[in-house]
Amino acid sequence: MIYFHCAAVRQSMVQMRVSILGLLGMAWVISACAENPSHLNTTYLDRYADPNPTLSSVLECHGFSCSETSRATLNRDAWRQVAAVYVPRAKDARTERRQIAHGVALIQLLVGQQTGTATHQWTHRDKYIFSNLNDPTQLDCIDEAVNTWTYLTLMERNGLLHFHRVAKLSHAGTPIDPRNTAVLQEIGGQYFAIDPSLVDVGVPPPIIPLDSWIAQWPPDLPANEAPVRLRVSPKLAAASNNGL
């Protein structure tokens, strides 16, 4: 049995080979970031992300390496529930990071119930990602990183973040054993990795110092932050015919 931190290219158990182009592409990313200790880059954002996501048109990557994309809508009621995560307003950055983690998990569910990805991520095992057997409901770390950047950007642009800004993506590992993550920067302070590939859909993802995420795998997660699965009703997740 072979495990991957995250697939650099789409793989299957039947076809267990990594393409030469995929290896060269990932090698280029690592080389380009050699002088960037936080490994911040926009490679996958430039390739896959919608640079201007809106609540009426949320692009989601899925199926591993953004091989599939879908659009979802967050209606007024759905966004009101997201905004409620930030009430009362956080008094410090640490509290806001907990709110952000819950907000990301909630949006992931709201979007996923429209696109079919709000399902158990059976490919996520023991902090590693297993080949998805061409299952479009499954998310690798490229999907997770791009989607999380989108969700964070929606929250930032709608005025929900006060102690953080959304940064570029980061990566670590090797060309054949890569991993990727979305990144937050505490205003005037350090970078943090926010990585939903470490948990199942609907569980607030851990937010840990980016240096720790880069240096050690699997990461040393806080023992006092037990995963709690969020739930939303299908009715709330459905896009509203009345618009935003």
Side-chain angles (χ1 to χ4, degrees), residues 2-8 11-13 16-18 64 123 125 127-131 176-178 217:
I2 300 176
Y3 287 84
F4 301 88
H5 288 175
C6 182
Q11 303 182 30
S12 70
M13 289 297 293
M16 297 298 286
R17 71 172 185 263
V18 180
F64 276 40
T123 55
R125 303 180 192 175
K127 301 183 179 67
Y128 293 88
I129 295 180
F130 188 56
S131 183
I176 60 173
D177 192 20
W217 199 267

